[in-house]
Amino acid sequence: MASRAKATIFDIAREAGVSKSTVSLVLQGSGLIRPETAVKVRKAIEDVGYVYNRGAANLRKAHSNVIGMVINDLTNPFFAELAVGMERVFQSAGIVPFIANTAENPVRQEEVLKSLMEQGVAGLIVSPARGTMPSAFRRLEMAGVPVVFAMRRLPESRVPVIAPDNHRGAYLAAAHLIGKGHRRLAFFGGSSDLVVYQERLGGFREACETQGIAARDVLVIEGETSRRGGLACLEAALAMAEPPTAALCFNDAVAFGVMLALRKRRLEPGADFAVVGFDDVVEAEHYMPALTSVAVDTAGLGERAAHVMLKMIQSRTTRAEDHIGAVNLVVRESCGPDRRTRNRPAGTGGAA
Amino acid sequence: MASRAKATIFDIAREAGVSKSTVSLVLQGSGLIRPETAVKVRKAIEDVGYVYNRGAANLRKAHSNVIGMVINDLTNPFFAELAVGMERVFQSAGIVPFIANTAENPVRQEEVLKSLMEQGVAGLIVSPARGTMPSAFRRLEMAGVPVVFAMRRLPESRVPVIAPDNHRGAYLAAAHLIGKGHRRLAFFGGSSDLVVYQERLGGFREACETQGIAARDVLVIEGETSRRGGLACLEAALAMAEPPTAALCFNDAVAFGVMLALRKRRLEPGADFAVVGFDDVVEAEHYMPALTSVAVDTAGLGERAAHVMLKMIQSRTTRAEDHIGAVNLVVRESCGPDRRTRNRPAGTGGAA
DNA sequence: TTGATTTATTGGAACGTTCCATTTATAGGC
DNA sequence: GCCTATAAATGGAACGTTCCAATAAATCAA
């Protein structure tokens, strides 16, 4: 019952009447030991309540089986979905990934990375915090620990990236809006220190140019990538002289904020102002109205990142190909046609 | 640039022209070494790109500084909030907690716990997966690892629990509904194999009895604790002969599902059917209509759990007091009066 | 100067594994 | 029976730390 000092491989060796080496072999499932012996040993392990000391083992083995996942914002359901995808593949490889949150704080991130390294992780999947210095991952690189960036990338870094095709996603979304007759468009939320932001905004701009929207008719408002940020963006936009009639949001959280702000002003998202999100989190489908959003196959990206990581570890390299995931626009109910265009054809009722 | 074999304490000793012991002392911030020596050593550490091997250290030190958090459903924002609270206090103690997800799967949970133990965690904060066998934590207990249950408890277990006052919360919510004139009440979602469920349902029932609601007028429908579950519950309820006019939901996710189902049927949550959630996740406030919910101070509970854990580790005990957190009902817009009652006083308009 | 005290530094033995090189037991070939 | 081949089990050294006991250097009291 009560536990004296922790049991070691020696204790169980004595218990089973074999040598420590034999126990070690059993622990590793070696085929060298006689089945009956193995059984005997396993019983002793059970009886004594032995717990394997991976730290000690790693001292010799050089490679642990711990993989860390460093996330910039645990409260964003998006990252939970990403984690779930990763876990699926790690689980089947017998690995338990450890998740750590940096809360979008580079200093905290530094601590987290340090701790993970000290723990002797075999590899790291990271969504870097905003404002991460390029140097932040130097230590990892020096130590030869495989690192994969998921969703976000750093300006100049040779770390492989698994991310969706942000440019294309934004392009599709903007084109959709324009196709619906909107002529004054906005891009809401995010900030320019994020590479993702550049990419999404780039796609948005390209669509506008290609489809003949004048530069002065596109409004870009940076802001927090949260509901609150979206709310602020919409308020700012509607305060302008000639406000936009549609917006592509940096992500779904921003879009939800925008819809909320519209409701507060007794405007109907979709009918009165079109909004498109990005990421297509599960809530998007369940919103009222359901949010049109760029689906990035989050869980799939997570799986992909995990696979790449596994391969890197296996081939003990620190390099790998980037992977840009396909995206597609999921059209739901959050963007009707521009009202001005809409009034010309048959008058459709008001309530959605 | 390229990294040869990992640098050890010996390498940096040679580099700095001191002994390994001195380096070790510096690493631990001992006051015994001369400041200038310490500086010299620290420089060498930097130059060589040394990373501390905590596994090796733990071999001697017996106590690591790793704390694990085992969560049953990472995709529920509720748990992210809990984690954030914990992280706040661990961070100030210089500890990086590792989070692992069990996805509500007892088998996976077993693996996760095993892995964490092997890693030599100093303590574990756990929200056990549904269907966890009481024996699942025996090993931990045998090994003397401090464990705290957060939010959920196991039927018979001496592990300290940090949880909200579920009974009281449910009581308050039900009383609120009854006070609004509702006479046919439902309890939606959750399943009876969860202790939390028993507690919440108990509070609900007590309120009904106390306030004179006949037993045959209270409807209990178990279901998934997710949006989807809520949807199903509402459908089932409305299909009955004399459907309820209000529901307390097991948690906010269920409540969101219920509201969604109402909308699908062109019913207005609040006006046509009252719904109350439980947990008061951040989204509750931002829903349309804003969800009345039982606030449990999730982050506060997380902080509390972390503090208890720290204290247990410090006093090397495996026992601690339970902590039942205060709750309060946050009234928003998701529950108007019973329609029948409402028609009697002055006619208030329809739209909320 | 000498010894006692304090201050800095150091060597060596653990810690719990793995893995290589051996040893011991078992079987096979002749 | 003896030698060899195969199978099964073992002892010892190593892994990178910590910590104790011991040493070396500096300071002080006489």
Side-chain angles (χ1 to χ4, degrees):
Chain A
M1 286 276 159
S3 72
R4 59 199 121 276
K6 282 197 198 335
T8 79
I9 213 182
F10 282 92
D11 297 313
I12 93 112
R14 183 162 12 86
E15 185 82 6
V18 296
S19 81
K20 62 166 181 33
S21 304
T22 304
V23 177
S24 176
L25 261 352
V26 173
L27 249 16
Q28 297 171 77
S30 161
L32 285 182
I33 38 82
R34 201 150 40 105
E36 329 159 29
T37 313
V39 169
K40 209 167 50 179
V41 170
R42 266 190 273 271
K43 175 165 184 327
I45 289 180
E46 201 55 46
D47 290 351
V48 179
Y50 164 78
V51 337
Y52 183 73
N53 184 333
R54 208 169 280 276
N58 287 342
L59 218 43
R60 293 270 329 192
K61 288 210 297 191
H63 250 32
S64 78
N65 72 153
V66 178
I67 292 184
M69 177 170 187
V70 179
I71 273 182
N72 62 290
D73 180 8
L74 196 58
T75 64
N76 187 337
F78 176 75
F79 289 104
E81 292 174 34
L82 186 71
V84 166
M86 287 187 11
E87 280 172 338
R88 237 195 316 264
V89 359
F90 284 139
Q91 176 162 20
S92 56
I95 289 176
V96 177
F98 292 139
I99 301 170
N101 184 24
T102 63
E104 207 73 275
N105 176 350
V107 177
R108 179 62 171 167
Q109 178 173 266
E110 198 83 35
E111 295 171 9
V112 165
L113 291 177
K114 180 152 170 266
S115 176
L116 252 358
M117 287 197 70
E118 291 180 356
Q119 231 54 241
V121 288
L124 245 30
I125 297 183
V126 184
S127 171
R130 174 177 317 171
T132 299
M133 301 302 293
S135 62
F137 291 88
R138 253 227 342 265
R139 301 217 84 144
L140 276 300
E141 208 174 342
M142 280 174 66
V145 177
V147 178
V148 169
F149 285 154
M151 312 314 300
R152 289 183 174 183
R153 67 176 75 226
L154 250 38
E156 39 191 74
S157 134
R158 29 181 51 228
V159 172
V161 177
I162 312 294
D165 191 339
N166 290 307
H167 188 93
R168 176 140 215 277
Y171 184 97
L172 290 176
H176 174 71
L177 255 13
I178 296 168
K180 285 272 185 182
H182 293 279
R183 287 296 168 265
R184 299 191 56 82
L185 271 52
F187 187 91
F188 283 167
S191 62
S192 50
D193 57 350
L194 247 38
V195 180
V196 201
Y197 179 83
Q198 311 284 9
E199 295 172 346
R200 295 188 180 174
L201 182 57
F204 175 78
R205 284 223 151 99
E206 186 182 325
C208 290
E209 283 167 25
T210 312
Q211 323 244 336
I213 303 293
R216 68 180 148 68
D217 286 335
V218 347
L219 174 66
V220 175
I221 306 184
E222 296 193 14
E224 281 182 45
T225 60
S226 62
R227 252 174 261 256
R228 207 166 49 157
L231 223 130
C233 284
L234 185 89
E235 295 300 340
L238 293 194
M240 311 206 70
E242 284 198 75
T245 64
L248 169 58
C249 299
F250 175 74
N251 69 15
D252 287 347
V254 172
F256 294 147
V258 169
M259 295 210 282
L260 198 67
L262 286 168
R263 275 268 164 66
K264 280 208 171 134
R265 288 177 161 253
R266 307 250 172 256
L267 294 172
E268 179 68 17
D272 299 322
F273 188 100
V275 12
V276 184
F278 212 111
D279 291 347
D280 192 34
V281 301
V282 286
E283 279 97 327
E285 182 185 353
H286 291 138
Y287 246 71
M288 216 63 204
L291 178 67
T292 292
S293 186
V294 178
V296 301
D297 184 21
T298 320
L301 289 171
E303 288 181 25
R304 186 61 173 230
H307 273 128
V308 170
M309 172 91 311
L310 252 21
K311 196 141 290 172
M312 287 171 83
I313 291 175
Q314 202 178 354
S315 57
R316 23 185 64 79
T317 173
T318 176
R319 304 286 311 121
E321 297 270 299
D322 287 2
H323 171 81
I324 304 303
V327 297
N328 73 302
L329 184 70
V330 178
V331 177
R332 299 206 181 86
E333 297 137 28
S334 65
C335 29
D338 181 8
R339 262 184 302 183
R340 292 168 304 186
T341 338
R342 189 182 57 182
N343 289 342
R344 270 167 235 157
T348 341
Chain B
M1 284 279 162
S3 72
R4 60 201 123 271
K6 281 197 197 338
T8 79
I9 215 182
F10 282 92
D11 297 313
I12 94 112
R14 181 162 14 83
E15 184 82 7
V18 297
S19 80
K20 61 164 180 34
S21 304
T22 305
V23 177
S24 176
L25 261 353
V26 173
L27 249 16
Q28 297 171 77
S30 161
L32 284 182
I33 39 79
R34 200 153 39 105
E36 327 160 32
T37 312
V39 169
K40 209 168 47 179
V41 170
R42 267 190 273 272
K43 174 163 185 327
I45 289 181
E46 201 55 45
D47 290 349
V48 179
Y50 165 78
V51 336
Y52 183 72
N53 184 333
R54 208 170 281 277
N58 287 342
L59 217 44
R60 294 269 330 190
K61 289 211 295 191
H63 250 28
S64 79
N65 72 153
V66 177
I67 292 184
M69 175 168 187
V70 179
I71 272 183
N72 62 291
D73 180 9
L74 195 59
T75 64
N76 186 337
F78 177 76
F79 290 105
E81 291 173 34
L82 186 71
V84 166
M86 287 186 12
E87 281 172 337
R88 240 197 313 265
V89 359
F90 284 140
Q91 175 162 20
S92 57
I95 289 176
V96 176
F98 291 140
I99 301 171
N101 185 24
T102 63
E104 207 72 275
N105 175 351
V107 177
R108 179 64 172 164
Q109 178 173 265
E110 199 84 34
E111 295 171 9
V112 166
L113 291 178
K114 178 152 170 267
S115 175
L116 251 0
M117 286 196 70
E118 292 181 355
Q119 229 55 239
V121 288
L124 245 32
I125 297 183
V126 183
S127 172
R130 173 177 317 168
T132 300
M133 301 302 293
S135 62
F137 291 88
R138 253 225 345 265
R139 304 219 76 151
L140 275 301
E141 208 175 344
M142 279 174 66
V145 177
V147 178
V148 169
F149 284 156
M151 312 315 299
R152 290 183 174 183
R153 67 176 75 226
L154 251 36
E156 39 192 72
S157 135
R158 30 181 48 231
V159 172
V161 177
I162 312 295
D165 192 340
N166 289 309
H167 187 93
R168 177 141 215 278
Y171 184 97
L172 290 176
H176 174 69
L177 255 12
I178 296 167
K180 286 273 186 181
H182 293 279
R183 287 295 168 266
R184 299 190 57 80
L185 270 51
F187 188 91
F188 284 166
S191 63
S192 51
D193 58 348
L194 248 37
V195 179
V196 201
Y197 179 83
Q198 310 284 9
E199 295 172 346
R200 293 186 182 175
L201 182 56
F204 175 78
R205 285 222 149 99
E206 186 182 323
C208 290
E209 283 167 25
T210 312
Q211 323 244 336
I213 303 292
R216 69 178 147 70
D217 287 337
V218 346
L219 173 67
V220 174
I221 305 184
E222 295 193 14
E224 281 182 45
T225 59
S226 61
R227 252 174 261 254
R228 207 167 50 159
L231 223 132
C233 285
L234 185 89
E235 295 301 339
L238 293 194
M240 311 206 70
E242 284 197 76
T245 63
L248 169 57
C249 299
F250 175 75
N251 69 15
D252 287 346
V254 172
F256 293 147
V258 169
M259 295 209 282
L260 198 66
L262 287 168
R263 275 270 165 68
K264 282 208 170 137
R265 288 176 160 256
R266 308 252 172 252
L267 293 171
E268 178 69 16
D272 299 322
F273 188 99
V275 13
V276 184
F278 212 112
D279 289 348
D280 191 35
V281 300
V282 285
E283 280 96 327
E285 182 184 353
H286 292 137
Y287 245 71
M288 217 63 205
L291 178 67
T292 292
S293 185
V294 178
V296 301
D297 184 19
T298 319
L301 288 171
E303 288 182 24
R304 187 62 172 229
H307 272 127
V308 170
M309 172 89 308
L310 252 21
K311 197 140 289 172
M312 286 171 83
I313 291 175
Q314 201 177 356
S315 56
R316 20 185 64 80
T317 173
T318 174
R319 305 284 311 123
E321 298 269 298
D322 286 2
H323 171 81
I324 304 303
V327 297
N328 74 302
L329 184 72
V330 178
V331 177
R332 298 205 181 87
E333 297 137 27
S334 67
C335 29
D338 181 7
R339 264 183 301 182
R340 292 168 304 187
T341 338
R342 190 182 57 181
N343 289 341
R344 270 168 237 156
T348 341

